[in-house]
């Protein structure tokens, strides 16, 4: 039987796709056809608009297809299809609640398509989608709109930052949060802002302002969204950056594939793409790191913000937030107080209520208290809190974990404000190092060693230790008064100074060895600053030998002069106070000379070295800890709890669990090898040649085995020899040759 | 460093067993099916096929829905035939009313099967003309959709529907909102006489938009028919209105009586969306003439001249169109000679 041929026009459904293809190839010739379809679209639209709720599924389908067609080719006929975007917007605005799901998605997709083809601009697209995102009850539509909005914002910021668009959207979000503080609509503002912050599309102060307003909202969800942003947004951003830098291309593999596989356009394209990606990645690596401020630093008026947050969500007794959310807010407030050194006196008295061991999540409260302390908090405000903690937590009767947590939190506070402690209290606490529990002992010793450094007078003499006692006698260890700030300076400048002196000394010594005749010029007058110094900083230590020969004739004079001065300084006994000497030195280098870029580079290097030295154990443990922890990282509940766990012995079960943590599961009795192999198989990895040989069907190998048995002695010898020579030369493929 | 650790952990996660915890519910399995829903009724998929003893009203309704929803084209056609039978019976048996039938059946105008469409036209012809009048606007929407359809067969069949509509409710057709200009637009667009395509393209050089009919098998007849329908449409539009007979009570009726026509204040467009020029209603002959003269006359006459030159059956129908135009505009109130 002959199959009946289906004429093209009978396949009505497939036609629109075909037509779209033809139109796109030759828009001028198909203008008439497009116009026909435009009329059909108009008619369908009329049908649809006349009764959107009762329209039949057939009509909806037709309309869907026509919208699709027109959206794809609208950019080719700007005159004919001019009202199309407005139609779509109107349709979406008025009927988004009743529209068929598929059609709705198509309309949104078409709008985005028009945006991509530059028929409409981003602002008009986003201002259409955004109100619907906020109002629509449909979850699927919301997620669709959300992704479209985010991707459009990313797209329009991909080449250069589109400041105007960003400003518009940020204003919209800001208004959304501030207009109705009780509604949950602000959630969308926080979600969008957070996402764009994470992707580093928005990095300035405006989004922080939006989040700030969100934090001050009346709606719990919105508040939590805003607070979480400030507490975790920057970390998220860093992680995102790490992640994006991870997905690199294996260039070697792709090159190898290109050699082996058949050449085709597709493969060539993939290859080019990979090369482009690698180059882009490299360029990104070399580009200077974008200077991103953390959100906490970009807040405008942190004092006012922190005060408002505290009054609105914490101090207010009518507030009905859950404890977890309250803790989040508290963390943000205390973080702000610690970071910006703000003064909110009522915050500390508010804490009193929560500092009992029975309070839920008390360690978080303790951590927040520590976070809220800084050197400008009046000691008499914190002192009662310290006493309260000591009374409530630290006693012989309380559980060791509780006592350890108490002492730890006191220590954390005291690190930030050592003046908060009275003598009797400290001496009492230090005595806990005689406790039986290791956690408590460690905590007490930690407190003691802290005070040995910052305020040894408070300790009893026998607990002061050698270093502190000596320091007290020489006046090296000095207790800082309230409000006293460390004198400013450039970190590591003394290292640079020292390094420079060493360099000079080295050069001078070399010259002495060279036996130059111009020793007598030592007494010549010199201003101590000229171009030579500039150069010194920029040369490396190993190149200095070659350097001398060049500058021999004219630049040797000042160098020698300085060398003598240095030797004087080193030989003379150090009579002046150490501190004074330090101050002298700082003023000398930073104020008398201009630091060149080379100098700054060296300075950085020296700083790093010094840090490594410190970490490697030239300094005390506590200092190491302090260096590790950046000042901007807040205190967490773990910091309070974990030291208490120190001396704890694990139970057998816990130890077993720990030991098995990273290992494959062992449900049945199986060898490790078998487990590994099954795991490998599950991951879809290939087998080794050995495994393949082992699995090979017996009947396939038996012929060869038999023939091997029948070989003569010479033949056997020959093959054995061949095997040896082959293995020496790297196998059949001559690997490594 | 931290990131790679995290990644390793993530990878490892796939191979770890879920931990069971005391006091917490067991995690749902990957293939878990939620069976917590409840239903008050059960729909049976297969239902009885025998039509014995079914209420005729029910049967009519069933056929109506079959005509729209059935997958097989023969089934749709048969259902339509049944409906036609019922409607043409004396007295007609129509439990849902003309409007009910129309709303259901109209989308079938662009049905993919030719037999269904011819049957549909037969069904339309059995509808009482007086009851079609109020639905003209809606029917016209579907007609315009059909006229712009990709498939030529569907377009031609839709022309038949337009002809029927002009027969049964000619005045309403040309005077309803969008009925005059939009329909004109669609009909002339089939002929390739539409000026807006040219104007959209004019900036890009020359273009040729007329439909080629020479050599095609059915071409001339089809185009001739299209021209005929256009002529008929124009004739209807330009038909001089019969003078309203004098009635002494007309003045008082106008003031105190409730109007008898549906939607008597349609021209005010109180509740609809604002109309543009195309979708405006042109209720009387003069306004139709005026708007035709300004927008369409040149385009139609150019197309018509071309068709006349083609001769044969097309030429004849073009001449008929010419006559219709002349008579329509000639004795016009505009007071100009054609």
């Amino acid at each position: 039987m002959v199959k009946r041929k289906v004429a093209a026009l009978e396949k009505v459904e497939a036609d629109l796709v075909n037509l779209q293809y033809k139109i796109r190839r030759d828009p001028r010739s198909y203008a008439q056809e497009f116009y026909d379809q435009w009329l059909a679209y108009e008619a369908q639209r009329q049908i649809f608009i006349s009764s959107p709720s009762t329209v039949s599924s057939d009509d909806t389908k037709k309309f869907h297809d026509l919208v699709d067609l027109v959206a794809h080719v609208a950019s080719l006929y700007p005159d004919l299809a001019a009202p199309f975007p407005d139609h779509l917007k109107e349709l979406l605005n008025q009927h988004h609640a009743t529209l068929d799901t598929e059609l709705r998605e198509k309309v949104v997709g078409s709008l985005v398509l028009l945006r991509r083809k530059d028929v409409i601009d981003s602002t008009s697209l986003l201002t259409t989608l955004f109100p619907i995102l906020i109002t629509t009850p449909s979850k699927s539509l919301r997620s669709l709109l959300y992704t479209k909005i985010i991707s459009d914002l990313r797209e329009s910021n991909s080449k250069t930052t589109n400041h105007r668009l960003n400003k518009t959207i940020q204003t919209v979000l800001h208004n959304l949060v501030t207009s109705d503080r009780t509604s949950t609509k602000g959630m969308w503002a926080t979600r969008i802002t957070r996402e764009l912050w994470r992707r580093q599309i928005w990095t300035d102060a405006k989004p922080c302002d939006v989040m700030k307003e969100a934090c001050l909202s009346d709606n719990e969800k919105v508040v939590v969204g805003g607070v979480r942003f400030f507490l975790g947004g920057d970390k998220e951003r860093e992680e995102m950056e790490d992640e994006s830098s991870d997905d690199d291309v294996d260039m070697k593999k792709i090159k190898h594939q290109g050699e082996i596989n058949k050449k085709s356009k597709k493969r060539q394209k993939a290859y080019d793409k990979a090369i482009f990606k690698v180059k882009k990645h490299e360029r990104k690596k070399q580009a200077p790191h974008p200077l991103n401020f953390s959100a906490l630093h970009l807040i405008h008026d942190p004092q006012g913000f922190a005060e408002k947050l505290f009054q609105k969500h914490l101090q207010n007794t009518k507030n009905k937030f859950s404890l977890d959310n309250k803790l989040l807010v508290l963390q943000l407030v205390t973080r702000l107080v610690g970071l910006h050194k703000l003064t909110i006196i009522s915050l500390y008295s508010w804490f009193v209520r929560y500092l009992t061991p029975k309070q839920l999540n008390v360690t978080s409260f303790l951590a927040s208290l520590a976070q809220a302390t800084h050197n400008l908090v009046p000691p008499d405000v914190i002192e009662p809190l310290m006493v309260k903690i000591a009374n409530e937590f630290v006693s012989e009767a309380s559980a060791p974990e509780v006592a350890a947590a108490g002492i730890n939190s006191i220590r954390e506070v005291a690190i930030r404000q050592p003046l908060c402690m009275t003598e009797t209290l400290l001496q009492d606490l230090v005595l806990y190092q005689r406790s039986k529990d290791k956690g408590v002992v460690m905590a007490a010793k930690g407190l003691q060693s802290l005070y040995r450094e910052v305020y040894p007078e408070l300790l009893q003499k026998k607990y002061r230790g050698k270093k502190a006692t000596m320091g007290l006698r020489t006046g090296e260890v000095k207790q800082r008064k309230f409000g006293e700030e460390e004198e400013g300076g450039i970190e590591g400048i003394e290292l640079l100074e020292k390094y420079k002196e060493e360099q000079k000394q080295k050069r001078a010594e070399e010259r002495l060895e060279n036996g130059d005749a111009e020793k007598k010029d030592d007494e010549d007058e010199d201003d101590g600053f000229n171009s030579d110094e500039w150069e010194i900083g920029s040369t490396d230590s190993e190149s200095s030998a070659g350097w001398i020969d060049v500058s021999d004739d004219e630049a040797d004079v000042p160098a020698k002069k300085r060398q003598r001065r240095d030797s004087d300084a080193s030989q003379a006994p150090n009579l002046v106070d150490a501190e004074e000497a330090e101050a002298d030195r700082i003023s000398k280098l930073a104020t008398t000379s201009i630091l060149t870029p080379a100098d700054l580079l060296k300075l950085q290097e020296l700083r790093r070295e010094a840090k490594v030295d410190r970490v490697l154990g030239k300094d005390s443990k506590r200092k190491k800890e302090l260096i590790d922890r950046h000042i901007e990282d807040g205190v967490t509940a773990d910091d309070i709890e974990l030291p208490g766990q120190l001396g704890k012995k694990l139970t057998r079960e816990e130890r077993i669990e720990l030991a098995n943590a990273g290992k494959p599961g062992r449900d049945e009795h199986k060898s490790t090898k078998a487990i590994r192999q099954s795991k490998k198989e599950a991951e879809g990895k290939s087998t080794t040649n050995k495994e393949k040989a082992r699995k090979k069907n017996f009947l396939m190998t038996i012929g060869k085995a038999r023939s091997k048995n029948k070989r003569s002695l010479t033949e056997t010898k020959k093959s054995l020899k061949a095997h040896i020579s082959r293995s020496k030369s790297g196998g059949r493929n001559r690997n490594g040759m | 460093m931290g990131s790679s650790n995290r990644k390793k952990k993530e990878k490892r996660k796939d191979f770890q067993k879920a931990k069971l915890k005391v006091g917490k519910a067991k995690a749902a399995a990957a293939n878990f099916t939620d069976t917590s829903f409840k239903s008050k009724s059960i729909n049976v998929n297969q239902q009885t096929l025998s039509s014995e003893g079914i209420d005729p009203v029910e049967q009519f309704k069933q056929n109506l829905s079959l005509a729209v929803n059935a997958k097989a084209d023969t089934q749709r056609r048969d259902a339509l035939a049944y409906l036609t039978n019922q409607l043409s019976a004396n007295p007609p048996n129509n439990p849902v009313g003309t409007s009910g039938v129309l709303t259901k059946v109209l989308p079938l105008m662009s049905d993919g099967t030719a037999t269904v469409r011819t049957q549909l036209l037969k069904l339309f012809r059995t509808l009482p003309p007086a009851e079609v009048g109020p639905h003209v606007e809606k029917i016209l929407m579907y007609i315009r959709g059909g006229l712009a359809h990709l498939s030529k067969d569907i377009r031609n069949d839709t022309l038949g529907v337009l002809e029927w509509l002009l027969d049964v409710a000619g005045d309403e057709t040309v005077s309803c909102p969008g009925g005059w200009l939009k329909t004109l637009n669609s009909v002339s667009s089939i002929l390739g006489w539409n000026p807006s395509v040219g104007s959209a393209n004019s900036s890009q050089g020359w273009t040729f938009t007329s439909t080629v009919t020479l050599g095609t098998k059915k071409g001339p007849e089809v185009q001739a028919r299209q021209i005929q329908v256009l002529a008929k449409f124009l004739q209807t539009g330009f038909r001089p209105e019969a003078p309203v007979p004098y009635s002494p009570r007309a003045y008082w009726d106008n003031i105190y009586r409730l109007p008898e026509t549906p939607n008597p204040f349609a021209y005010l467009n109180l509740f609809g969306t604002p109309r543009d020029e195309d979708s405006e209603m042109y209720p009387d002959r003069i306004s139709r003439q005026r708007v035709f003269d300004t927008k369409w006359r040149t385009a139609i006459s150019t197309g018509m001249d071309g068709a006349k030159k083609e001769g044969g059956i097309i030429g004849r129908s073009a001449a008929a169109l010419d006559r219709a135009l002349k008579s329509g505009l000639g004795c016009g109130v505009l007071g100009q000679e054609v």
Side-chain angles (χ1 to χ4, degrees):
Chain A
M1 205 183 91
V2 185
K3 223 181 195 179
R4 198 178 67 92
K5 252 192 176 174
V6 182
L9 279 181
E10 278 180 273
K11 293 189 284 183
V12 177
E13 271 76 35
D15 255 348
L16 282 176
V17 182
N18 194 13
L19 181 66
Q20 183 191 328
Y21 170 72
K22 283 176 180 163
I23 289 178
R24 280 160 93 178
R25 292 199 66 177
D26 187 2
R28 253 161 69 187
S29 309
Y30 281 93
Q32 173 69 44
E33 276 74 5
F34 171 73
Y35 189 67
D36 283 348
Q37 290 318 300
W38 174 256
L39 288 179
Y41 154 77
E42 278 275 18
Q44 280 300 333
R45 186 173 150 263
Q46 283 293 323
I47 294 169
F48 191 83
I49 297 260
S50 63
S51 60
S53 48
T54 58
V55 80
S56 73
S57 64
D58 222 23
D59 280 332
T60 316
K61 173 86 175 51
K62 256 183 243 162
F63 188 48
H64 174 276
D65 293 346
L66 285 167
V67 165
D68 183 46
L69 172 80
V70 176
H72 275 95
V73 296
S75 59
L76 302 171
Y77 305 101
D79 294 347
L80 288 178
F84 184 59
D86 291 332
H87 287 173
L88 292 185
K89 281 180 202 167
E90 187 191 311
L91 194 67
L92 207 56
N93 273 329
Q94 292 174 359
H95 306 295
H96 65 83
T98 50
L99 272 183
D100 172 63
T101 341
E102 246 173 75
L103 181 61
R104 197 169 57 189
E105 268 173 34
K106 178 49 76 185
V107 172
V108 174
S110 301
L111 269 175
V112 175
L113 186 69
L114 290 178
R115 160 73 205 106
R116 262 192 288 155
K117 299 201 168 188
D118 253 340
V119 179
I120 54 175
D121 61 347
S122 262
T123 318
S124 79
L125 172 70
L126 293 176
T127 44
T128 313
L129 297 188
F130 197 70
I132 301 169
L133 171 73
I134 297 161
T135 49
T136 181
S138 152
K139 201 172 179 183
S140 59
L141 180 61
R142 275 195 310 245
S143 65
L144 176 77
L145 289 175
Y146 176 71
T147 48
K148 293 288 183 203
I149 286 175
I150 293 286
S151 70
D152 186 64
L153 276 170
R154 277 180 71 190
E155 194 86 339
S156 40
N157 278 304
S158 61
K159 276 180 190 148
T160 50
T161 316
N162 189 345
H163 285 293
R164 181 181 283 177
L165 176 71
N166 290 346
K167 218 176 197 176
T168 321
I169 299 303
Q170 282 159 4
T171 315
V172 167
L173 295 181
H174 192 270
N175 290 343
L176 179 70
V177 176
T178 49
S179 61
D180 185 5
R181 287 191 185 273
T182 49
S183 77
T184 45
K185 285 175 185 173
M187 271 303 290
W188 289 105
T190 59
R191 275 191 71 181
I192 290 175
T193 311
R194 188 164 186 179
E195 182 66 22
L196 292 170
W197 183 268
R198 193 169 72 97
R199 294 182 182 280
Q200 301 204 22
I201 293 165
W202 289 354
T203 51
D204 51 345
K206 197 87 190 268
C208 292
D209 213 41
V210 173
M211 285 310 210
K212 189 177 139 186
E213 292 300 335
C215 287
L216 295 175
S217 153
D218 292 329
N219 189 290
E220 189 167 351
K221 274 186 179 174
V222 181
V223 171
V224 170
V227 170
R228 276 187 198 278
F229 167 76
F230 282 114
L231 291 177
D234 294 307
K235 205 171 178 192
E236 233 178 38
R237 185 167 70 176
E238 275 167 29
E239 272 173 14
M240 176 82 182
E241 204 174 16
D242 284 354
E243 220 164 76
S244 62
S245 63
D246 275 355
D247 52 285
D248 37 42
V249 193
D250 190 359
M251 220 38 228
K252 216 171 167 186
K253 190 178 163 195
I254 287 174
K255 262 186 189 162
H256 182 63
Q257 277 176 346
E259 280 167 7
I260 290 168
N261 291 337
K262 191 181 164 191
K263 268 119 200 114
S264 70
K265 259 187 193 171
K266 195 179 169 191
R267 291 230 170 82
Q268 181 64 36
K269 237 183 241 169
Y271 180 70
D272 288 345
K273 218 180 222 173
I275 284 186
F276 176 74
K277 212 173 178 185
V278 167
K279 275 190 181 162
K280 196 178 162 194
H281 193 219
E282 239 147 59
R283 228 179 299 142
K284 212 175 166 188
K285 249 187 196 168
Q286 281 165 5
H289 188 72
L291 192 64
N292 282 333
F293 291 104
S294 92
L296 288 171
H297 281 110
L298 284 173
I299 294 176
H300 174 67
D301 183 21
Q303 171 78 41
F305 178 45
E307 264 173 21
K308 264 188 224 159
L309 259 185
F310 175 62
Q311 278 162 10
K312 193 163 185 182
H313 300 315
L314 298 175
Q315 214 174 17
N316 184 4
T317 46
K318 280 175 196 159
N319 195 313
K320 290 280 180 284
F321 283 11
S322 74
L323 183 69
D324 282 346
N325 294 340
K326 259 190 186 170
L327 268 175
L328 278 177
V329 176
L330 177 64
Q331 267 171 29
L332 177 60
V333 172
T334 52
R335 193 75 187 280
L336 281 171
V337 169
L339 193 65
H340 293 278
K341 300 205 171 172
L342 310 175
T343 314
I344 307 179
I345 297 296
S346 50
L347 174 66
Y348 303 99
S349 55
W350 177 84
F351 263 111
V352 175
R353 243 180 72 200
Y354 297 96
L355 297 180
T356 58
K358 279 190 182 147
Q359 169 69 37
L360 216 59
N361 283 334
V362 69
T363 43
S364 295
F365 279 101
L366 291 171
S368 298
L369 174 60
Q371 216 169 216
T373 321
H374 52 83
N375 62 347
L376 296 181
V377 179
D380 48 346
V381 175
I382 314 180
E383 214 182 282
L385 291 177
M386 296 291 97
V387 174
K388 166 117 184 179
I389 293 176
N391 289 344
E392 294 270 0
F393 288 79
V394 192
S395 74
E396 290 294 351
S398 61
E401 291 90 354
V402 175
I407 300 178
N408 275 324
S409 58
I410 288 175
R411 188 183 62 121
E412 288 290 341
V413 173
I415 287 175
R416 287 161 179 82
Q417 176 57 294
L419 299 174
C420 67
M421 192 66 75
T422 57
E423 203 169 343
T424 47
L425 179 61
L426 180 66
Q427 284 167 6
D428 186 32
L429 289 176
V430 163
L431 280 180
Y432 274 89
Q433 54 187 290
R434 296 210 190 114
S435 159
K436 275 176 195 148
D437 185 80
K438 198 170 180 192
V440 179
V441 174
M442 299 289 278
K445 281 189 175 167
L447 191 64
Q448 171 189 308
S449 65
L450 169 74
Y451 269 89
R452 278 180 180 179
E453 272 172 39
V454 293
Y455 199 173
E457 284 106 319
L458 281 193
L459 289 167
Q460 269 177 325
K461 264 188 187 161
K462 58 177 175 179
Y463 291 116
R464 277 179 198 168
K466 183 180 165 197
K467 206 175 162 193
T469 320
M470 301 275 280
L472 270 181
R473 193 171 299 158
T474 56
E476 225 172 273
V477 178
K478 234 182 183 180
Q479 165 240 332
R480 206 170 288 159
K481 288 179 198 113
F482 174 67
E484 189 181 338
E485 286 282 352
E486 198 170 354
E487 255 177 79
I490 303 168
E491 189 195 336
I493 190 88
E494 69 281 351
L495 294 171
L496 185 68
E497 174 97 13
K498 210 169 134 195
Y499 167 78
K500 281 191 167 186
E501 276 170 13
E502 276 170 12
Q503 284 307 105
K504 275 177 235 155
Q505 224 163 1
K506 228 187 245 172
R507 275 179 50 193
E509 275 166 17
E510 272 173 28
R511 189 157 313 154
L512 280 176
E513 281 166 17
N514 288 350
D516 228 32
E518 293 166 74
K519 267 182 210 164
K520 302 287 181 286
D521 293 342
D522 282 2
E523 267 66 47
D524 281 4
E525 271 306 306
D526 191 66
D527 61 341
F529 176 75
N530 58 17
S531 62
D532 192 34
E533 196 160 351
W534 183 286
E535 309 282 18
I536 288 168
S538 58
T539 51
D540 284 336
S541 53
E542 62 264 22
S543 69
S544 57
W547 169 246
I548 292 163
D549 297 336
V550 179
S551 64
D552 214 17
D553 38 6
E554 76 257 36
D556 49 353
V557 183
K560 253 166 242 156
K561 163 81 181 158
R562 233 170 288 125
Q563 174 253 324
R564 219 195 71 155
R565 203 169 53 197
D566 291 342
S567 58
D568 279 354
S570 59
Q571 281 153 20
N574 198 354
L575 298 173
V576 280
D577 201 326
E579 231 170 87
E580 261 175 57
E582 182 124 320
D584 258 5
R585 242 184 287 150
I586 288 168
S587 64
K588 226 193 283 169
L589 194 70
T591 56
T592 58
S593 63
I594 297 171
L595 296 179
T596 64
D599 278 345
L600 292 177
L601 217 65
K602 191 73 207 173
L603 182 64
Q604 220 171 3
E605 192 184 310
L606 288 170
R607 252 185 244 158
R608 209 164 36 228
E609 269 174 22
K611 195 174 172 184
V612 169
D613 279 352
R614 262 175 286 175
V615 172
L616 284 181
K618 286 186 186 170
D619 244 321
S620 75
K621 245 185 186 175
R622 201 187 65 74
K623 263 190 183 167
K624 250 188 272 172
E625 220 173 75
L626 276 183
I627 292 159
D628 284 343
R629 192 197 298 158
H630 198 266
I631 189 74
E632 278 170 25
D633 295 344
V635 186
T636 58
D638 283 348
D639 293 334
I640 307 290
E641 276 173 38
L642 282 184
Q645 307 290 328
L646 264 178
K648 287 277 142 359
K649 262 193 181 167
L650 296 174
T651 60
R652 184 163 182 272
E653 285 74 29
E654 280 168 333
R655 261 178 289 155
I656 290 174
E657 197 174 298
L658 260 182
N660 284 338
K663 290 183 183 164
R666 214 181 268 271
D667 299 333
E668 55 204 311
H669 187 67
K670 240 182 181 181
S671 70
T672 321
K673 221 176 186 179
I675 289 171
R676 268 189 209 142
Q677 195 165 345
S678 65
K679 188 183 154 196
K680 213 164 105 174
E681 228 162 71
E683 281 174 54
K685 286 179 177 165
S686 57
T687 50
T688 62
N689 284 348
K690 238 183 202 173
E691 283 163 358
K692 279 182 188 124
R694 207 178 294 139
K695 274 187 182 169
K696 199 167 184 179
N697 190 352
F698 167 69
L699 284 172
M700 289 164 90
T701 57
I702 195 164
K704 196 176 182 184
R706 269 191 190 147
S707 67
K708 269 185 172 177
N709 275 341
K710 284 175 188 166
R711 285 181 302 184
S712 70
L713 271 178
T714 4
E715 273 172 334
T716 316
K717 184 182 160 198
K718 217 188 255 175
S719 70
L720 281 176
K721 271 195 171 173
H723 175 76
I724 289 166
S725 70
R726 207 168 47 233
S727 63
K728 273 181 184 165
S729 61
R732 279 185 207 279
N733 291 334
R734 299 287 181 271
N735 291 329
M737 288 293 121
Chain B
M1 165 66 185
S3 152
S4 76
N5 249 343
R6 183 165 51 80
K7 281 200 161 174
K8 264 185 215 156
K9 246 181 229 166
E10 267 169 22
K11 272 181 196 163
R12 231 180 274 143
K13 215 181 268 168
D14 295 342
F15 303 101
Q16 268 171 353
K17 271 185 74 182
K19 269 182 204 160
L20 297 176
K21 282 182 183 162
V22 177
K24 299 219 168 146
K26 217 159 90 178
N31 57 358
F32 173 71
T33 313
D34 186 15
T35 52
S36 61
F37 66 92
K38 277 177 191 164
S39 171
K40 279 189 179 168
S41 64
I42 296 174
N43 285 330
V44 181
N45 238 350
Q46 249 101 49
Q47 281 159 7
T48 173
L49 294 174
S50 76
S51 56
E52 298 292 314
I54 298 181
D55 183 21
V57 175
E58 280 307 310
Q59 207 169 352
F60 188 92
K61 283 182 181 167
Q62 194 185 2
N63 271 296
L64 194 56
S65 83
L66 260 185
V68 183
N69 296 328
K71 283 269 187 299
D73 45 5
T74 48
Q75 214 172 358
R76 285 199 300 264
R77 191 199 57 207
D78 292 346
L80 279 177
Y82 175 84
L83 294 180
T84 318
N85 268 337
Q86 294 293 309
L87 289 173
S88 58
N90 199 9
N93 169 26
N94 185 357
V96 292
T98 308
S99 90
V101 173
L102 272 179
T103 39
K104 277 274 188 185
V105 142
L106 276 175
L108 283 179
M109 222 183 277
S110 45
D111 192 279
T113 321
T115 49
V116 175
R117 293 194 301 265
T118 38
Q119 190 61 50
L120 180 69
L121 190 55
K122 279 180 197 161
L123 172 76
F124 281 151
R125 291 212 175 104
T126 57
L127 290 171
E131 290 176 27
V132 173
H135 303 289
V136 161
E137 198 181 338
K138 188 153 194 195
I139 300 174
L140 269 179
M141 280 180 200
Y142 282 93
I143 287 180
R144 285 199 294 268
L147 285 178
H149 203 276
L150 264 183
S151 158
K152 273 188 186 137
D153 294 343
I154 294 179
R155 288 187 201 183
N156 290 332
D157 288 346
T158 315
L159 278 178
V161 181
L162 180 59
E163 259 182 324
W164 160 75
L165 191 65
L166 287 172
D167 282 338
V168 293
D171 286 335
E172 287 91 339
T173 309
V174 290
S175 61
C176 77
W180 181 239
L181 280 188
K182 278 195 166 174
T183 316
L184 202 56
N185 199 356
S186 294
V187 177
S188 59
S189 179
I190 313 184
L191 282 162
W193 294 355
N194 204 307
S196 37
V197 179
S199 71
N201 256 3
S202 61
S203 56
Q204 301 163 358
W206 70 273
T207 177
F208 182 73
T209 49
S210 131
T211 345
V212 180
T213 60
L214 298 169
T216 50
K217 205 177 162 193
K218 266 171 99 183
E221 282 87 3
V222 169
Q223 201 182 356
R225 176 131 185 279
Q226 288 164 351
I227 296 175
Q228 277 162 18
V229 173
L230 178 60
K232 190 172 184 180
F233 180 70
L234 290 177
Q235 255 173 1
T236 319
F238 297 144
R239 193 162 52 199
E241 290 124 341
V244 184
Y246 172 75
S247 92
R249 293 174 46 189
Y251 177 74
W252 298 111
D253 282 356
N254 201 17
I255 295 176
Y256 295 114
R257 283 264 174 113
L258 284 174
E260 284 164 356
T261 49
N263 200 4
F265 301 111
Y267 58 93
L268 290 176
N269 190 24
L270 287 176
F271 306 110
T273 49
R275 296 170 181 151
D276 56 354
E277 194 186 14
D278 275 355
S279 49
E280 193 49 73
M281 61 191 292
Y282 297 96
D284 52 6
R285 183 178 173 231
I286 301 170
S287 59
R288 284 196 287 268
Q289 274 174 339
R290 190 182 295 131
V291 75
F292 178 82
D293 201 50
T294 51
K295 282 196 77 178
W296 283 93
R297 195 162 171 190
T298 21
I300 299 269
S301 6
T302 339
M304 193 174 65
D305 290 344
K308 263 191 206 164
K309 280 172 196 153
E310 212 166 315
I313 187 170
I314 296 179
R316 276 197 294 282
S317 49
L321 173 64
D322 196 13
R323 272 196 303 281
L325 261 186
K326 276 197 177 126
S327 68
L329 294 173
C331 56
V333 199
L334 295 176
Q336 55 184 12
E337 239 358 89
V338 180

